C-alpha cells in the first residue's frame, strides 16, 4: 500500500472527528431534541429568538412579480436577518422550497421555517365541511380525511395546519359553525382527537402539525355575530366549551391558536387563565400557542392593552407564544426583553416550544423533505383521495324528510328536471375554507346526476339567479319541462362563500326567490325532492310543510354532486344524523338539546291552564324543527327492550346498557344509536340530556341486533365552575334512541 493511501485515510478520519467535534450540537441528529433545542437557544441573540415567534403572511414571495413588490421583498429581508420564524399562506412544493432555502442558507444559524396553512377540510381534494363530516358520526372516516388532507398539504410544502377548529357552537347564524363539530361537547371531542391523529400521524413527512383552535369559547359570540363579545359562566366553559379543545391536546396536537373573543373581560390572547392556567398548567400542553390573525395587536382595540409594548407584554406573559401577523412581537419583543422589562426566561420557553416542533418534523436534518414537486404532483387530487371524499360526503348528508318514500329515485329514471342555480354553479360547491380547492374541479349536483344517469334526459332550469331572485320567466319553462319529467330535483340553500369566517347572517331562512321556485315546482304536481346546500342549519319550517322529501347536503366538497346523486339514486343509503339542532325559527336560537330544565319547563303540546307561566314562546314550539342526532335512512329501525344491567352501580363500576334494534325494512342500513344520561339532582343543575356514547352499526334488512353500551361510572360526573370534576351519587336517567328526542328511558343509581 502506498504511504499516501494511509495518509489520506488518516486525514479523512481526523477531519471527520474534528468536524463532529466542531459541529454545533443542535445540528447533531444523535442528540435528543431537548439537547439540540438548548444548544441552539444558547447560540441565539434575543433578536433571533424574537424572530422565531414572528409569523408573517407570505403569499408569493419569490419570482419576478414578487421581486418588484417591496412588501414581499421586505418580508424576505426580515427573513434573512432572522426576524421571521414562520410563514402562512405560502404554498406549493417549489415556492416553499425556494423560501426555505433562504432561511437555511442565508440566515446566521440556518433555522428552517415552518409553513402554516388553513387545511380545514382538505388541501386540494376537498372533503365535506367539518360540521357535515361530524354528522357521519364516523370517527375513522374523519381521521382518514385528515390524513389525506395532510398527505396532500405536506406534499405541497406545508408543515402545519390551522385545524381542527373545535369551537363548540349553538349558533347557526355564525358563519363558522361549518368548521366545527356541532353542539355536543363529547362528540366534538371525539372528532377533535380523530382529526389530530389524522393530521399528525407519526409526524413523518406525509403528515402535518395540527392546531386546535380557537382557544377558547369563540363559538359563542353574542347574536351569532362574528368577532362579537363572548360572555359566559365558567361552569358553561368547563362543561360545554373546553372538552373538545382538551381532547385535541390529549391527542397530542402540536399547537393551539388563541381566539379573537374576550373571556371574563380579557381577550383570549392575553388571557392567563385560559392559556397558562388551563392549557399549559392544568392540561400540561407542551406545544406552542399561536395568536389568531393580528389578535395580539387587537388587544389594543379591545381596550385591554394601552399600546404595542403593552400588547406584547400581555400576550407573552399570558403564555401565548407566536404572533401571527400583528407584527407587535416584530416591533417590540426583543427590545422589551433586552431592557429587562420582560423576562428572557419566558422568551426562551416560547422559542423552545417552537424549535421543538421544527426538530420533531426533522427540518434541521432535512429542511427540504416537504418540498418535492414530484411527490406533490402525484398526491394532489389522487383518485383514492377523490373516492374517499365522495364516500365521506355521502356519509355526511342528512335525510330530513322522505314522505311517501319519494327517495330513493332508483336507477330506471328516463327524465329528470333539475331546478335552482345552486345545482349548476361550480362556484357554489366550495366554501370560504376551501384551501387550494378549485371550483373547476368540483362536481355540481347537476353534473353528479348526469354522471349517475347517463341515459336519462336531464333538463336544467335556473329558477333563481345569483342574488336568489326568482326568474319569473322560468316559471312557464318549468311547468312545461316538468310535464315530461319523472321527478323534479330542486336545489336551494346558501351561497358556498357564505360559509366561513366573517359570514354571520341574521336571517337563515331560505331566500324568498327560492321559496317561489319551490311553489312553482309544487304546482306541477310532479314528485319533488329538495336538496339543501348550505354550510349551516337553515330554518326550514316553511319548506318542510310544503315538500315531501328533503336531503340536507351541506357543502360536500370536491365530490359534492356525485355524493348527492349516490344518495338520491339509492346507491348509497343515507345514515347521517345532524350534530346541530335545526331551529324552528331564528328567534329560537340558541336552540340545543343539552339545555337545562329551568324551574318552569314546558312540553310542546301541553296547553292546559297550568301551562301559561312556563318557559315557552307563545308563537312557536320550544322544540327545534329537527333535534340533535336526527336523520333518516332508506331503511327503518325499531328500538326495543332497553335494559340496564344493574340498577345500582358504584363509582368504580361500568354502566352497562343494551337495546335491541330491528331493521324493519328490506334494505341493509347503518343506524347510529345514541345513549344519553341525565343526572336527576346534583349540586349544580345538569342538562336534560347528555350524549355519552353511540354505536354506528350496519344492520342487515330484517335483522334484530343487540347493541351494548359501556360507560365507566367515572364519566358520569361534571365540572364545577373551578374545573373540579365532581362525581356525585344519586339517581340518573339513561336514554337510548335514534336521536336525542325519540328515546327509550330507564333509571339507575350511582352509589
Ligand atoms: C382565522 C383563523 C385562521 C387564520 C389564518 C384567521 O382570520 O380566524 O382561523 O387560521 O385567519 O388564516
Amino acid at each position: 500500500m502506498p504511504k499516501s493511501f494511509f495518509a489520506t485515510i488518516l486525514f479523512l478520519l481526523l477531519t471527520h472527528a474534528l468536524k463532529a467535534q466542531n459541529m454545533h450540537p443542535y445540528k447533531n441528529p444523535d442528540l435528543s431534541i431537548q439537547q439540540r433545542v438548548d444548544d441552539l437557544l444558547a447560540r441565539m441573540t434575543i433578536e433571533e429568538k424574537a424572530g422565531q415567534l414572528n409569523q408573517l403572511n407570505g403569499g408569493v414571495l419569490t419570482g419576478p412579480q414578487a421581486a418588484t413588490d417591496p412588501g414581499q421583498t421586505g418580508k424576505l429581508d426580515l427573513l434573512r436577518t432572522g426576524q421571521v420564524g414562520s410563514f402562512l399562506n405560502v404554498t406549493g412544493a417549489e415556492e416553499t422550497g425556494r423560501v426555505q432555502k433562504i432561511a437555511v442558507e442565508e440566515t446566521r444559524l440556518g433555522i428552517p421555517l415552518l409553513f402554516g396553512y388553513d387545511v380545514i377540510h382538505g388541501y386540494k381534494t376537498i372533503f365535506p365541511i367539518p360540521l357535515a363530516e361530524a354528522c357521519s358520526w364516523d370517527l375513522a372516516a374523519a381521521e382518514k380525511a385528515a390524513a389525506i388532507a395532510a398527505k396532500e398539504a405536506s406534499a405541497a410544502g406545508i408543515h402545519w395546519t390551522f385545524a381542527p377548529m373545535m369551537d363548540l357552537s349553538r349558533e347557526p347564524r355564525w358563519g363558522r359553525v361549518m368548521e366545527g363539530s356541532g353542539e355536543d361537547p363529547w362528540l366534538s371531542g371525539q372528532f377533535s382527537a380523530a382529526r389530530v391523529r389524522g393530521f399528525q400521524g407519526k409526524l413523518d413527512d406525509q403528515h402535518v402539525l395540527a392546531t386546535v383552535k380557537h382557544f377558547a369559547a369563540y363559538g359563542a359570540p353574542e347574536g351569532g355575530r362574528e368577532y362579537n363579545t363572548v360572555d359566559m359562566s365558567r361552569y358553561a366553559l368547563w362543561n360545554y366549551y373546553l372538552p373538545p379543545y382538551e381532547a385535541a391536546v390529549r391527542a397530542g396536537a402540536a399547537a393551539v391558536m388563541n381566539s379573537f373573543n374576550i373571556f371574563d373581560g380579557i381577550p383570549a390572547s392575553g388571557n392567563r387563565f385560559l392559556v397558562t392556567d388551563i392549557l399549559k398548567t392544568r392540561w400540561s400542553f407542551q406545544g406552542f400557542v399561536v395568536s389568531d390573525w393580528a389578535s395580539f395587536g387587537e388587544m389594543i382595540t379591545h381596550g385591554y392593552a394601552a399600546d404595542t409594548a403593552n400588547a406584547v407584554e400581555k400576550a407573552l406573559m399570558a403564555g401565548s407564544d407566536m404572533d401571527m401577523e400583528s407584527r407587535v412581537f416584530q416591533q417590540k419583543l426583543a427590545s422589551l426583553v433586552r431592557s429587562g422589562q420582560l423576562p428572557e426566561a419566558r422568551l426562551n420557553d416560547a422559542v423552545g416550544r417552537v424549535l421543538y416542533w421544527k426538530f420533531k418534523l426533522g427540518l434541521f436534518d432535512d429542511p427540504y423533505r416537504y418540498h418535492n414537486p414530484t411527490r406533490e404532483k402525484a398526491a394532489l387530487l389522487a383518485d383514492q383521495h377523490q373516492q374517499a371524499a365522495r364516500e365521506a360526503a355521502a356519509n355526511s348528508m342528512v335525510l330530513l324528510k322522505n314522505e311517501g318514500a319519494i327517495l330513493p329515485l332508483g336507477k330506471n329514471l328516463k327524465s329528470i328536471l333539475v331546478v335552482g342555480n345552486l345545482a349548476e354553479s361550480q362556484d357554489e360547491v366550495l366554501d370560504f375554507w376551501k384551501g387550494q380547492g378549485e371550483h373547476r374541479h368540483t362536481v355540481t349536483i347537476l353534473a353528479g346526476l348526469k354522471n349517475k344517469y347517463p341515459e336519462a334526459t336531464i333538463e336544467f332550469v335556473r329558477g333563481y339567479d345569483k342574488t336568489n331572485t326568482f326568474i319569473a320567466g322560468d316559471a312557464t319553462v318549468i311547468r312545461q319541462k316538468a310535464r315530461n319529467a319523472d321527478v323534479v330535483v330542486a336545489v336551494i340553500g346558501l351561497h358556498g362563500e357564505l360559509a366561513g369566517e366573517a359570514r354571520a347572517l341574521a336571517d337563515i331562512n331560505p331566500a324568498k326567490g327560492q321559496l317561489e321556485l319551490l311553489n312553482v315546482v309544487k304546482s306541477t304536481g310532479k314528485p319533488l325532492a329538495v336538496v339543501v346546500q348550505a354550510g349551516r342549519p337553515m330554518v326550514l319550517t316553511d319548506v318542510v310543510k310544503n315538500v315531501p322529501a328533503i336531503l340536507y347536503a351541506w357543502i360536500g366538497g370536491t365530490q359534492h354532486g356525485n355524493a348527492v346523486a349516490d344518495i338520491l339514486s339509492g346507491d348509497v343509503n343515507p345514515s347521517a344524523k345532524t350534530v346541530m339542532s335545526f331551529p324552528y325559527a331564528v328567534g329560537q336560537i340558541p336552540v340545543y338539546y343539552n339545555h337545562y330544565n329551568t324551574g318552569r319547563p314546558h312540553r310542546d303540546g301541553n296547553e292546559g291552564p297550568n301551562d301559561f307561566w312556563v318557559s315557552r314562546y307563545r308563537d312557536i314550539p320550544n322544540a327545534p324543527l329537527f333535534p340533535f342526532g336526527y336523520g333518516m335512512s332508506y331503511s327503518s329501525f325499531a328500538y326495543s327492550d332497553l335494559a340496564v344491567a344493574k340498577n345500582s352501580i358504584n363509582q368504580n363500576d361500568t354502566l352497562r346498557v343494551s337495546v335491541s334494534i330491528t331493521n324493519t325494512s328490506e334494505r341493509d342500513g347503518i343506524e347510529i344509536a345514541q345513549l344519553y344520561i341525565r343526572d336527576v339532582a346534583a349540586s349544580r343543575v345538569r342538562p336534560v340530556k347528555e350524549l355519552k356514547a353511540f354505536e354506528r352499526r350496519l344492520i342487515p334488512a330484517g335483522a334484530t341486533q343487540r347493541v351494548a353500551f359501556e360507560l365507566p361510572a367515572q364519566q358520569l360526573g361534571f365540572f364545577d365552575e373551578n374545573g373540579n370534576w365532581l362525581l356525585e351519587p344519586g339517581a340518573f336517567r339513561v336514554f337510548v334512541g335514534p336521536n336525542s328526542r325519540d328515546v327509550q328511558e330507564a333509571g339507575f343509581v350511582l352509589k
Side-chain angles (χ1 to χ4, degrees):
M1 288 270 174
K3 253 192 193 163
S4 63
F5 176 79
F6 288 109
T8 316
I9 296 282
L10 197 64
F11 174 77
L12 285 176
L13 282 174
L14 268 174
T15 43
H16 181 78
L18 274 173
K19 244 193 198 163
Q21 221 175 27
N22 285 341
M23 179 166 54
H24 294 326
Y26 78 88
K27 295 195 173 157
N28 183 352
D30 298 333
L31 297 180
S32 73
I33 292 187
Q34 201 49 54
Q35 286 171 314
R36 299 176 79 181
V37 168
D38 290 343
D39 176 69
L40 181 53
L41 272 173
R43 290 170 198 282
M44 293 168 79
T45 64
I46 289 175
E47 287 69 21
E48 283 164 338
K49 290 177 188 172
Q52 286 303 305
L53 305 182
N54 187 29
Q55 182 186 54
L56 297 183
N57 184 34
V60 179
L61 289 163
T62 69
Q65 219 172 339
T68 57
D69 177 348
Q72 296 306 80
T73 50
K75 288 176 195 168
L76 291 183
D77 293 342
L78 288 170
L79 170 60
R80 288 190 176 93
T81 49
Q83 295 181 71
V84 185
S86 170
F87 280 107
L88 76 152
N89 295 333
V90 181
T91 58
E94 284 185 1
E95 174 70 2
T96 49
R98 280 194 292 266
V99 181
Q100 188 68 296
K101 194 158 185 275
I102 297 175
V104 173
E105 293 184 5
E106 298 183 40
T107 66
R108 191 177 75 90
L109 292 163
I111 303 176
L113 286 161
L114 268 186
F115 292 103
Y117 190 61
D118 290 286
V119 185
I120 305 297
H121 54 119
Y123 179 77
K124 191 68 134 184
T125 304
I126 304 303
F127 280 74
I129 55 170
L131 178 64
E133 193 176 75
C135 295
S136 71
W137 302 54
D138 189 340
L139 300 169
E143 182 172 337
K144 183 172 166 192
I148 289 175
K151 195 167 181 190
E152 292 196 356
S154 61
I158 303 302
H159 305 126
W160 170 24
T161 175
F162 307 127
M165 186 275 221
M166 277 299 149
D167 302 321
L168 184 126
S169 190
R170 304 158 171 172
E171 260 304 346
R173 290 173 294 185
W174 188 47
R176 301 196 80 166
V177 284
M178 59 146 293
E179 290 173 67
S181 301
E183 70 197 36
D184 184 76
W186 178 77
L187 187 62
S188 295
Q190 300 286 308
F191 275 98
S192 188
R195 290 186 179 125
V196 169
R197 286 194 301 268
F199 283 132
Q200 294 195 163
K202 291 203 170 68
L203 275 189
D204 54 17
D205 62 4
Q206 311 277 316
H207 290 86
V208 295
L209 304 180
T211 312
V212 61
K213 70 187 187 185
H214 309 80
F215 198 67
Y218 181 42
E222 285 180 352
R225 202 181 73 209
E226 183 69 295
Y227 313 129
N228 202 7
T229 299
V230 169
D231 199 357
M232 72 168 62
S233 70
R234 291 195 180 206
Y235 183 52
L237 179 78
W238 281 107
N239 285 292
Y240 290 109
Y241 289 85
L242 289 182
Y245 307 117
E246 185 180 4
V249 170
R250 300 264 174 253
V256 170
M257 186 184 287
N258 301 124
S259 55
F260 287 126
N261 55 281
I262 58 169
F263 181 78
D264 265 357
I266 298 177
S269 302
N271 198 310
R272 207 185 147 79
F273 167 67
L274 292 178
V275 181
T276 295
D277 298 352
I278 297 179
L279 179 64
K280 288 187 169 173
T281 308
R282 194 175 157 136
W283 295 349
S284 309
F285 173 62
Q286 299 301 315
F288 59 98
V289 179
V290 62
S291 79
D292 201 349
W293 184 289
S295 67
F296 288 174
E298 284 174 17
M299 288 197 284
I300 302 171
T301 325
H302 272 291
Y304 181 65
D307 53 26
T308 305
N310 197 215
V312 171
E313 178 184 342
K314 286 185 158 155
L316 191 75
M317 297 320 289
S320 298
D321 299 310
M322 185 188 279
D323 179 356
M324 177 195 283
E325 260 301 330
S326 311
R327 307 246 189 154
V328 295
F329 273 16
Q330 184 186 310
Q331 291 171 53
K332 292 282 178 198
L333 180 54
S335 58
L336 287 168
V337 174
R338 213 165 256 298
S339 65
Q341 284 162 275
L342 289 178
E344 190 166 355
R346 174 73 262 275
L347 176 66
N348 287 344
D349 169 57
V351 178
R353 286 167 180 267
V354 173
L355 293 176
Y356 176 90
W357 291 98
K358 291 188 174 182
F359 280 108
K360 186 93 181 151
L361 286 173
L363 299 182
F364 281 88
D365 307 324
D366 179 3
Y368 303 112
R369 63 202 301 240
Y370 285 74
H371 313 295
N372 175 347
T374 317
R375 168 152 89 98
E376 180 180 32
K377 203 159 177 271
L380 303 193
L381 289 174
D383 287 347
Q384 316 92 283
H385 301 181
Q386 303 259 16
Q387 187 52 34
R390 180 171 179 165
E391 285 164 20
N395 283 338
S396 62
M397 296 178 177
V398 185
L399 183 64
L400 292 176
K401 185 173 180 187
N402 193 16
E403 213 171 72
I406 293 250
L407 295 174
L409 302 175
K411 300 303 279 288
N412 296 326
L413 294 180
K414 299 230 159 28
S415 161
I416 308 175
L417 172 59
V418 181
V419 300
N421 181 52
L422 289 172
E424 185 264 357
S425 169
Q426 281 186 311
D427 291 349
E428 305 293 353
V429 181
L430 297 176
D431 57 291
F432 170 67
W433 290 117
K434 56 184 172 292
Q436 289 288 305
E438 293 179 57
H439 292 126
R440 69 190 169 104
H441 294 138
T442 61
V443 182
T444 64
I445 294 176
L446 182 63
L449 286 169
K450 286 184 175 163
N451 294 339
K452 184 64 72 182
Y453 296 100
E455 310 292 325
T457 309
I458 301 190
E459 300 261 27
F460 171 70
V461 184
R462 201 164 298 281
Y464 56 85
D465 63 16
K466 276 196 171 145
T467 66
N468 293 325
T469 309
F470 182 57
I471 304 169
D474 281 355
T476 328
V477 190
I478 288 170
R479 285 198 189 95
Q480 181 207 331
K481 290 199 188 287
R483 257 180 240 139
N484 303 323
D486 299 329
V487 64
V488 183
V489 174
V491 183
I492 62 166
L494 292 169
H495 293 305
E497 276 282 333
L498 277 177
E501 184 178 351
R503 269 79 172 168
L505 291 174
D507 185 359
I508 51 170
N509 283 282
K512 215 172 121 252
Q514 298 185 353
L515 295 177
E516 279 174 65
L517 170 66
L518 292 186
N519 284 338
V520 171
V521 176
K522 251 202 100 188
S523 72
T524 66
K526 282 284 165 174
L528 165 64
V530 171
V531 180
V532 188
Q533 188 171 305
R536 64 183 99 202
M538 297 181 72
V539 174
L540 295 180
T541 309
D542 290 338
V543 179
V544 166
K545 280 181 207 144
N546 271 321
V547 305
I550 304 175
L551 176 69
Y552 213 83
W554 306 105
I555 295 180
T558 313
Q559 288 290 324
H560 178 76
N562 282 335
V564 168
D566 286 340
I567 293 185
L568 293 183
S569 64
D571 281 349
V572 170
N573 188 358
S575 56
K577 306 220 183 197
T578 184
V579 293
M580 269 190 95
S581 305
F582 275 70
Y584 186 94
V586 171
Q588 204 186 36
I589 301 169
V591 58
Y592 51 97
Y593 87 94
N594 43 3
H595 57 82
Y596 304 126
N597 203 33
T598 81
R600 297 183 176 199
H602 169 67
R603 253 177 206 279
D604 291 330
N606 287 9
E607 304 299 338
N610 294 333
D611 292 296
F612 193 85
W613 306 104
V614 293
S615 178
R616 62 176 295 192
Y617 296 104
R618 305 238 66 98
D619 53 347
I620 58 165
N622 276 9
L625 187 64
F626 297 108
F628 175 87
Y630 178 85
M632 298 173 70
S633 157
Y634 296 148
S635 312
S636 46
F637 301 98
Y639 285 63
S640 60
D641 303 323
L642 175 67
V644 178
K646 290 200 270 178
N647 49 22
S648 160
I649 55 171
N650 70 40
Q651 305 203 341
N652 297 318
D653 264 351
T654 295
L655 173 70
R656 288 174 217 282
V657 178
S658 57
V659 74
S660 293
I661 305 179
T662 305
N663 181 340
T664 54
S665 72
E666 284 168 11
R667 185 166 180 163
D668 300 350
I670 291 172
E671 170 62 341
I672 301 166
Q674 302 155 37
L675 179 142
Y676 300 84
I677 60 138
R678 176 173 180 183
D679 187 343
V680 178
S683 60
R684 306 290 178 287
V685 297
R686 300 300 304 143
V688 295
K689 282 191 189 106
E690 287 178 80
L691 181 72
K692 288 287 176 185
F694 71 88
E695 168 98 10
R696 185 177 189 277
R697 182 174 303 185
L698 177 72
I699 303 182
T704 297
Q705 293 193 354
R706 197 78 191 148
V707 172
F709 300 94
E710 294 198 345
L711 183 67
Q714 293 290 329
Q715 290 174 23
L716 295 168
F718 59 93
F719 292 103
D720 71 8
E721 55 288 353
N722 297 314
N724 301 308
W725 185 250
L726 307 180
L727 191 60
E728 298 182 348
F732 281 77
R733 306 302 296 166
V734 57
F735 315 89
V736 177
N739 59 62
S740 62
R741 181 190 61 200
D742 307 316
V743 289
Q744 311 223 338
E745 186 176 344
F748 68 95
V749 171
L750 178 66
K751 284 192 294 203

